[in-house]
Amino acid sequence: MVFFHQTSSLGLLKSLKKSHIFYPMPKHQQMPIVLGCFIFTSSYQCAKPVDPKRIRPGTTTLSFKGKGEGIRETRVGKDYSSPRPFNLFAAGASKRRSGPREAIEDSERSILSRRITLHPPEKPLSAGEWEELKGQFEGLRKFELLMFEQMIACNSPIDVAKSLLAAVANREGDIQYSILLKYLCLCVSQGSTEEIYDVHDILKARFKTLETSGYGLLIRGLSGTPRWREALSLLEELKKVMTPSKSNYGDCIRGALLNREINLACELFHEMLAKDLVPNLDTLQIFFDTGRSVKDDILKTELMHILSYLRDNQVYPGEALMQSIKQWFESIPGENWKGSLTTIKHSGQCPSCNQSLESINLSPEEYSTLKERIIKDVIQGTDTFRKTTPQELEEFQTFVNQCPPFDIVIDGLNVSRVYNKAIPSQTLLNVVSYLAQQNPRMLILGRKHMLKKTSQWHRNDMAALQKKAHFFFTENLSEDDPFLLYATLHSGSHCRFVTRDLLRDHKACLSDSLTRRLFFKWQRGHQMVLSDYIPGKRIKFESVLNFDTIVQTTGNTWHIPYDDNVLKRSSYEVPTKWLCLQQK
Amino acid sequence: MHLFNIIRRSVFQLAASDGTKRRFFLIMPSRVITCRTLVLSAWLNKDSSPSATEKLDLDGWKHVMRSAQQEEATERTSQSEEDSPLAVTRELIEMWRLSGRLVPENISEEDFKTLNECPTKSSIRKYLKFLAIKENRKKADREKKEKRNEANKERMLNTQENAGGELPNTFLPKFWTRSQDAVYNWRAAQSMIFGQPLVYDMNYENYMSRREMENTVKQLMESEGANRRALDPFHLHYCNLKAGGPYHKEFVKRYGEAWDKLFVTVTEKSYVEVFPKDQLVYLTADSPNVMKTFEHDKIYIIGSIVDKSMKTGLSLANAKRLDLATARLPLDRCLQWAEGAKNLTLDQMMRILLTLKDTGNWKEALQFVPQRKHEGFVNMSSWSKEQIDTWKKTKLHEKMAGQRKAHKQFAQNFSRRQTQKNWWEDVS
């Protein structure tokens, strides 16, 4: 493929673009080859005809399907790479669904990578040589600044930067603050303590106050050195002008912990949480790393506090933090913890210690608050007319109150459009008939246009559906999802709902993060997703998880879900890998 | 040199730990200055041979900085230090400017108040950036103006030199903009009596931030101007405009004295009270109905709102509440939409409606949709043919055709039955 000539690769592209032929999904061995022609066309020239800027998601030039088939097809397409049973909320699911598009974006990025024009020199130059170099880039106004930025990017030796500083000082008798900042940044990234001290002293003497990035860099630079206490005083100065960021606090905490000042670190940590800052994971990691070597009751309670913080705020540790937690537990003397990495089965049992994990069902109080909030925030919002009308809402509520509780609530429109080559009403009928085998009480939500006799909604199908399930039709202008949520919640915790929608926009309507988390937990435990549908052959629902993905303990065991480094997890997904700790 | 550094550093550490750095700088030995002169002279006498790089004094800049520092330090102690939050913020902004961030050089008191009300760090940053861009634009405008004035002066001088010939003979006296304005005003006055009403719904004050509100007023002024210049202007109504509300204040601020002389009907009443309900059509991008033709007996309503944050369904909700007809422009049908939201600005809307009113030609009217948002007009004839061709290939079409046949037969039978019935009725 390397000797594939560029023009021919373009020809291939064009033919792919024009043809409406139905290409099969490429197998994984073929993928790199097809992309190869992209990757080896490193020059921008030959990528021009493709015009990557114009590539919009869904209409990629490398689409392996004709234009007739949409993205929905790819989503339904069988996914061999995912572990079975596949879950919509499992980390990396969205990336898998988006399929080969990601790879194309990567190759685009490689094509569109900016050409670096300024190359910092290898060795220190004299002032004259710097002038010469500057002369070459005539018209570049901020030559020194750009040069420093490039030095930071290339991680040049400090001596080169010093020589440039010397040249500037020699020319102007003074050095701008912005240039000093860039130099400081370079020193901090290379950890040259002496230089950081000097720049710190110069800055403190020259300027009465600094600004956020200057303080941030100095705090970072000083926190790992013997003069780490000065970082604390810098933090105090920063507090006068602005709320410090989480990394400022994180650096100070790192400095305190490296010097075994446990109390100070804890104080800073609590102060940070009080300001509603979410700590960086590596800050937490330093706590656990320190815990391994320092045996101290205060620190132990603090670490337990951190674990409960992770639980309460649904923060999932990364792989590095997970390893630190594991090692800390195993290093506690006399408690004999043993950690192992597992994935949990769908039954909710941990394979390594046979412990059942926490149920995903909400407590009755949580349930009732969620129900209220759905009505108040999602359906009514600031203006009932935006999603429905008051009259319709009342109608719906009386309808739900009259009916006995349902077992399954179905988003009729969503389900009917699962398979775009079939008639919607038939698809809906097939899915409902499949679900009706266990004789549940079903409610189908739809819009009034489904009642009209059209080519898409057949009378006889609708009549058959009427026999199997209850119906509620909203106005065509109303949103049906909020009603789906409310009907499901109203029926009780045994009730499930069927839709493929991720419901992110409705989650966003909820006003505070706690309720949003409740909603997400409830959604994971109650949403049935139709993952695979071929008419007359296969109907497959993803199994609903019955355990909650959250840091949890039973006293002598801990189960901690974590993100592995490879998979990118979206915000509406939860990790699938677990750290199981048990006391022997 | 190295020795000196070592000594200096140790002294520095002591100084730092004592926290008496400033005093230390005041009593700093004059040796540093001599050092500076030494360094400088070294620089001046250096030869640019490659061997010089090895002898480079890399720490020279520190001494330069320190000697500069010393002067600063003496200056600073003479200043009275104030630590009020206001001064702190001003200093922070000044330092941000030095570090190369986009912040304005001088901030007015009013802007400072707004800045203090910013709730988050990012909002402060954004507001400062906005002010900085505004400042830069003003500066550029001023420079342009000065240049233009100078060029004008030169031209005047040249013409004066060339003058002295006979005066030109013209048919008309110079046509001033005054007379143009008079014509426009006559037209606007005429439209106030006979023109087709066009309503701006000013009901969205509470849904907007300050900046969005200011933008809305600016767009309204634009559209009012476009309307005045049209051949056949609309009779504009600003309905639901609360006296003393933010809109009203902003209008008075922007228009000044002209606000009371505008040929626009301003009312606190709702449009439902002013016009018959069945004539009103609310234009909103969320509407399910596509506008096919411009109707001259309808009264169109435009919601005057700029929503920088997506507020979907706001104007549709209003129309639903009052049970009004709604419509949206046929953007999808006529344009190959590329990017951007389909809600257009108020002045674009106004120009589109004016063009439609005059010509009824969609293609001409939709030229006011920003070019960046679409990739040209849909070629209706060829497009539909292609669509039909691809669609015919699908199995769905066959099914549907079969259904249509069945429907047709059913309909025929049904109509036959109907006629028979009528016939019976006639007989009886």
Side-chain angles (χ1 to χ4, degrees):
Chain A
M1 203 66 208
V2 187
F3 23 83
F4 213 98
H5 204 267
Q6 285 178 351
T7 47
S8 60
S9 72
L10 277 177
L12 174 74
L13 276 177
K14 274 179 184 165
S15 66
L16 276 173
K17 202 172 179 177
K18 278 179 190 167
S19 62
H20 287 248
I21 310 162
F22 184 63
Y23 279 81
M25 277 292 279
K27 290 201 171 64
H28 287 283
Q29 305 89 21
Q30 287 174 10
M31 247 341 253
I33 301 179
V34 179
L35 288 177
C37 59
F38 257 98
I39 291 160
F40 293 118
T41 54
S42 51
S43 72
Y44 189 77
Q45 280 286 311
C46 62
K48 249 184 184 165
V50 185
D51 197 5
K53 277 185 202 165
R54 280 267 170 248
I55 295 177
R56 287 197 296 280
T59 58
T60 47
T61 36
L62 264 183
S63 77
F64 299 98
K65 304 171 173 301
K67 277 183 185 170
E69 281 72 40
I71 316 164
R72 203 178 297 143
E73 264 290 304
T74 10
R75 286 190 194 155
V76 187
K78 279 177 73 177
D79 189 359
Y80 298 101
S81 61
S82 66
R84 287 254 164 238
F86 171 78
N87 189 281
L88 183 73
F89 304 113
S94 68
K95 198 172 170 178
R96 269 201 296 271
R97 273 201 310 277
S98 63
R101 213 182 312 139
E102 290 282 331
I104 288 163
E105 275 170 26
D106 285 342
S107 62
E108 266 178 51
R109 243 173 261 136
S110 69
I111 292 168
L112 293 173
S113 65
R114 276 195 310 131
R115 281 179 304 133
I116 295 170
T117 47
L118 278 178
H119 277 293
E122 302 290 316
K123 287 197 181 79
L125 304 181
S126 68
E129 284 165 330
W130 275 117
E131 286 299 320
E132 264 175 52
L133 195 60
K134 192 179 174 176
Q136 285 174 19
F137 294 99
E138 202 63 57
L140 216 55
R141 274 188 308 162
K142 296 176 180 172
F143 169 80
E144 282 88 8
L145 269 176
L146 287 170
M147 188 48 98
F148 266 109
E149 268 167 28
Q150 285 304 330
M151 284 181 195
I152 293 167
C154 308
N155 214 0
S156 302
I158 284 189
D159 284 349
V160 179
K162 274 187 189 173
S163 74
L164 179 53
L165 280 180
V168 174
N170 170 34
R171 198 180 57 225
E172 297 167 12
D174 190 14
I175 299 174
Q176 285 171 31
Y177 178 70
S178 49
I179 292 183
L180 278 176
L181 265 192
K182 293 268 185 294
Y183 176 68
L184 178 63
C185 188
L186 189 69
C187 297
V188 170
S189 68
Q190 299 189 3
S192 55
T193 317
E194 291 293 315
E195 288 301 315
I196 293 168
Y197 288 161
D198 280 350
V199 177
H200 168 258
D201 298 340
I202 286 171
L203 285 178
K204 291 306 284 183
R206 268 303 302 274
F207 303 101
K208 190 177 150 197
T209 56
L210 303 180
E211 44 74 68
T212 40
S213 58
Y215 280 127
L217 283 170
L218 284 178
I219 288 171
R220 169 152 304 176
L222 290 174
S223 63
T225 65
R227 281 166 67 174
W228 63 279
R229 283 196 185 272
E230 286 177 42
L232 297 181
S233 58
L234 284 170
L235 187 74
E236 291 302 319
E237 275 183 54
L238 179 56
K239 275 181 207 167
K240 281 180 203 163
V241 289
M242 233 179 195
T243 327
S245 71
K246 56 183 177 182
S247 51
N248 297 153
Y249 273 111
D251 291 330
C252 287
I253 289 172
R254 185 167 58 115
L257 284 176
L258 288 178
N259 294 284
R260 302 277 186 270
E261 290 273 0
I262 306 295
N263 284 342
L264 183 63
C266 294
E267 261 173 52
L268 282 170
F269 185 68
H270 287 290
E271 189 182 308
M272 172 177 180
L273 294 187
K275 286 184 177 169
D276 277 339
L277 294 169
V278 180
N280 282 332
L281 291 183
D282 50 3
T283 308
L284 304 180
Q285 194 185 335
I286 292 164
F287 268 107
F288 282 99
D289 287 343
T290 317
R292 246 181 299 160
S293 49
V294 182
K295 298 293 164 225
D296 175 283
D297 280 349
I298 297 170
L299 186 60
K300 193 175 170 181
T301 50
E302 186 61 21
L303 294 179
M304 287 296 164
H305 173 253
I306 288 174
L307 286 172
S308 67
Y309 171 86
L310 292 180
R311 179 190 164 86
D312 295 341
N313 293 282
Q314 285 211 347
V315 179
Y316 300 114
E319 206 162 331
L321 176 56
M322 180 275 301
Q323 288 290 0
S324 298
I325 294 173
K326 180 169 173 266
Q327 285 160 359
W328 174 70
F329 266 106
E330 286 168 349
S331 75
I332 300 175
E335 292 198 12
N336 203 6
W337 287 91
K338 194 176 158 299
S340 53
L341 308 183
T342 60
T343 49
I344 308 282
K345 291 181 214 152
H346 270 277
S347 59
Q349 259 199 345
C350 170
S352 68
C353 64
N354 294 327
Q355 185 87 42
S356 285
L357 293 189
E358 272 179 51
S359 154
I360 197 151
N361 287 328
L362 308 185
S363 69
E365 305 89 66
E366 287 174 334
Y367 203 87
S368 58
T369 50
L370 184 61
K371 202 163 120 181
E372 273 171 44
R373 297 302 293 278
I374 291 275
I375 277 276
K376 226 168 73 180
D377 290 350
V378 181
I379 302 185
Q380 288 176 339
T382 48
D383 183 356
T384 318
F385 281 94
R386 268 168 91 164
K387 288 190 175 168
T388 167
T389 61
Q391 186 193 347
E392 188 179 54
L393 183 59
E394 207 172 304
E395 208 177 298
F396 175 74
Q397 281 181 312
T398 48
F399 167 81
V400 172
N401 288 330
Q402 276 169 5
C403 290
F406 299 102
D407 301 321
I408 297 177
V409 182
I410 298 166
D411 184 349
L413 283 168
N414 187 296
V415 169
S416 64
R417 306 270 178 212
V418 158
Y419 189 74
N420 60 356
K421 280 187 275 189
I423 295 162
S425 63
Q426 276 183 349
T427 308
L428 185 58
L429 182 61
N430 290 344
V431 174
V432 171
S433 320
Y434 172 82
L435 286 169
Q437 288 165 9
Q438 283 97 31
N439 267 332
R441 304 184 52 83
M442 283 192 277
L443 167 67
I444 301 175
L445 277 160
R447 289 202 180 101
K448 284 193 173 153
H449 68 75
M450 293 160 69
L451 288 169
K452 274 193 196 156
K453 198 168 71 180
T454 54
S455 58
Q456 303 207 317
W457 300 99
H458 289 183
R459 269 295 154 76
N460 42 9
D461 288 343
M462 296 305 275
L465 280 168
Q466 292 270 23
K467 283 183 195 141
K468 291 183 196 293
H470 289 263
F471 261 108
F472 186 84
F473 294 106
T474 62
E475 295 290 336
N476 295 340
L477 281 180
S478 301
E479 292 219 18
D480 50 358
D481 294 344
F483 292 120
L484 170 94
L485 299 178
Y486 183 74
T488 314
L489 278 164
H490 186 87
S491 301
S493 65
H494 67 285
C495 181
R496 302 264 169 90
F497 63 98
V498 182
T499 177
R500 268 188 169 182
D501 200 316
L502 288 164
L503 306 170
R504 284 171 289 177
D505 44 349
H506 307 296
K507 194 174 15 177
C509 289
L510 297 165
S511 45
D512 64 311
S513 58
L514 191 70
T515 324
R516 277 201 286 269
R517 283 205 290 269
L518 269 187
F519 178 89
F520 186 39
K521 184 176 169 182
W522 173 79
Q523 183 192 355
R524 279 186 320 218
H526 292 80
Q527 180 167 4
M528 292 166 73
V529 180
L530 185 59
S531 57
D532 203 354
Y533 174 81
I534 295 170
K537 285 184 190 166
R538 221 192 351 250
I539 295 184
K540 196 162 188 172
F541 285 94
E542 284 174 21
S543 46
V544 179
L545 291 179
N546 50 10
F547 60 91
D548 190 10
T549 308
I550 194 167
V551 177
Q552 47 196 280
T553 178
T554 57
N556 60 355
T557 59
W558 276 90
H559 287 94
I560 298 168
Y562 70 94
D563 285 322
D564 63 1
N565 292 338
V566 192
L567 270 182
K568 286 290 282 179
R569 184 172 61 86
S570 300
S571 60
Y572 52 87
E573 293 170 348
V574 289
T576 50
K577 302 198 168 179
W578 291 75
L579 163 68
C580 160
L581 292 153
Q582 49 181 329
Q583 233 171 334
K584 292 279 186 225
Chain B
M1 194 69 220
H2 279 291
L3 186 72
F4 174 79
N5 268 348
I6 290 160
I7 291 165
R8 187 170 44 70
R9 254 187 216 127
S10 56
V11 172
F12 246 107
Q13 271 172 6
L14 278 173
S17 53
D18 290 350
T20 53
K21 279 169 284 178
R22 238 169 247 160
R23 221 185 314 151
F24 169 71
F25 287 121
L26 292 181
I27 52 165
M28 209 155 151
S30 55
R31 174 140 168 231
V32 176
I33 296 171
T34 53
C35 198
R36 177 189 177 188
T37 49
L38 266 177
V39 171
L40 278 180
S41 59
W43 280 118
L44 289 171
N45 299 340
K46 73 170 178 38
D47 48 348
S48 53
S49 61
S51 61
T53 50
E54 289 156 27
K55 288 186 246 165
L56 275 179
D57 178 12
L58 291 174
D59 284 342
W61 60 275
K62 290 179 188 171
H63 310 306
V64 175
M65 289 301 290
R66 293 222 164 90
S67 50
Q69 230 172 77
Q70 206 190 4
E71 296 147 31
E72 292 259 334
T74 46
E75 266 175 49
R76 219 188 310 132
T77 42
S78 61
Q79 281 176 12
S80 61
E81 284 190 29
E82 46 175 349
D83 263 352
S84 67
L86 239 161
V88 165
T89 315
R90 280 199 187 277
E91 252 171 27
L92 175 71
I93 291 168
E94 180 57 27
M95 288 309 290
W96 266 341
R97 205 171 60 76
L98 285 181
S99 74
R101 263 202 201 166
L102 202 56
V103 294
E105 280 179 43
N106 24 30
I107 304 176
S108 70
E109 284 300 316
E110 200 181 334
D111 290 338
F112 213 88
K113 243 182 236 165
T114 326
L115 195 68
N116 276 335
E117 283 163 12
C118 287
T120 58
K121 280 187 203 179
S122 60
S123 63
I124 290 174
R125 210 168 295 153
K126 277 178 189 162
Y127 190 67
L128 284 171
K129 188 181 166 184
F130 161 71
L131 289 179
I133 290 171
K134 212 163 101 176
E135 199 177 49
N136 285 344
R137 208 169 282 160
K138 262 190 180 166
K139 231 185 254 170
D141 284 352
R142 209 175 296 133
E143 281 170 18
K144 249 189 198 166
K145 207 174 174 180
E146 279 168 12
K147 268 187 189 168
R148 215 185 305 136
N149 285 348
E150 278 174 26
N152 280 350
K153 265 182 195 166
E154 275 183 33
R155 220 182 320 131
M156 289 293 282
L157 285 172
N158 289 341
T159 47
Q160 275 171 7
E161 285 168 20
N162 299 340
E166 54 186 82
L167 291 167
N169 212 348
T170 59
F171 156 61
L172 281 175
K174 183 168 163 60
F175 187 74
W176 297 98
T177 39
R178 261 208 298 281
S179 23
Q180 207 178 350
D181 283 346
V183 173
Y184 289 151
N185 282 338
W186 272 111
R187 270 201 208 134
Q190 213 174 1
S191 79
M192 292 273 288
I193 307 168
F194 304 111
Q196 179 181 356
L198 178 73
V199 178
Y200 276 104
D201 178 11
M202 314 293 259
N203 210 358
Y204 301 99
E205 288 173 320
N206 311 328
Y207 294 99
M208 289 193 278
S209 65
R210 170 110 205 124
R211 251 183 98 181
E212 286 172 337
M213 200 270 295
E214 284 169 9
N215 290 346
T216 311
V217 169
K218 194 161 187 252
Q219 287 180 17
L220 279 167
M221 287 171 74
E222 282 264 339
S223 38
E224 190 268 328
N227 185 50
R228 213 178 335 138
R229 286 179 189 78
L231 274 176
D232 180 14
F234 284 105
H235 173 198
L236 292 188
H237 286 72
Y238 293 171
C239 290
N240 292 327
L241 184 71
K242 291 174 194 66
Y247 264 141
H248 187 227
K249 278 180 193 164
E250 188 69 21
F251 268 128
V252 172
K253 184 179 147 190
R254 297 294 280 275
Y255 270 112
E257 287 180 6
W259 174 241
D260 294 327
K261 298 174 191 167
L262 275 187
F263 288 99
V264 172
T265 306
V266 178
T267 166
E268 287 201 20
K269 282 189 204 163
S270 168
Y271 33 89
V272 189
E273 299 165 43
V274 183
F275 301 106
K277 225 178 191 177
D278 55 347
Q279 281 193 343
L280 292 169
V281 177
Y282 210 120
L283 295 176
T284 162
D286 302 320
S287 166
N289 317 314
V290 180
M291 187 170 153
K292 289 191 180 67
T293 52
F294 180 88
E295 293 171 60
H296 296 269
D297 56 346
K298 288 269 191 277
I299 294 151
Y300 290 100
I301 307 169
I302 298 173
S304 59
I305 176 170
V306 170
D307 49 346
K308 284 195 189 299
S309 59
M310 293 278 183
K311 295 184 181 68
T312 32
L314 203 61
S315 47
L316 188 67
N318 261 336
K320 258 163 88 180
R321 184 177 299 114
L322 300 165
D323 197 19
L324 301 172
T326 58
R328 69 169 193 261
L329 294 180
L331 298 175
D332 282 330
R333 195 173 284 187
C334 303
L335 304 171
Q336 294 176 335
W337 201 261
E339 58 174 5
K342 291 199 177 72
N343 44 3
L344 305 174
T345 63
L346 303 178
D347 50 310
Q348 284 159 11
M349 208 62 211
M350 169 61 95
R351 289 195 174 98
I352 288 169
L353 287 177
L354 281 169
T355 319
L356 278 179
K357 190 180 171 193
D358 286 348
T359 62
N361 181 349
W362 279 111
K363 195 165 177 175
E364 211 170 306
L366 292 182
Q367 280 172 339
F368 294 106
V369 177
Q371 299 267 314
R372 69 170 186 282
K373 288 194 178 183
H374 64 89
E375 291 165 346
F377 289 85
V378 171
N379 191 351
M380 291 296 277
S381 53
S382 68
W383 173 78
S384 53
K385 193 167 175 288
E386 205 174 298
Q387 278 276 312
I388 289 162
D389 286 350
T390 49
W391 184 62
K392 269 186 177 170
K393 285 173 191 166
T394 57
K395 284 184 180 175
L396 190 65
H397 169 67
E398 288 166 28
K399 274 187 188 169
M400 301 237 313
Q403 279 160 23
R404 262 203 303 276
K405 222 177 249 174
H407 277 304
K408 219 177 250 176
Q409 280 180 348
F410 176 78
Q412 278 172 351
N413 293 341
F414 193 73
S415 60
R416 208 177 294 152
R417 244 179 284 153
Q418 278 256 315
T419 47
Q420 277 178 346
K421 210 176 179 180
N422 289 345
W423 178 76
W424 274 114
E425 281 167 2
D426 286 345
V427 166
S428 62

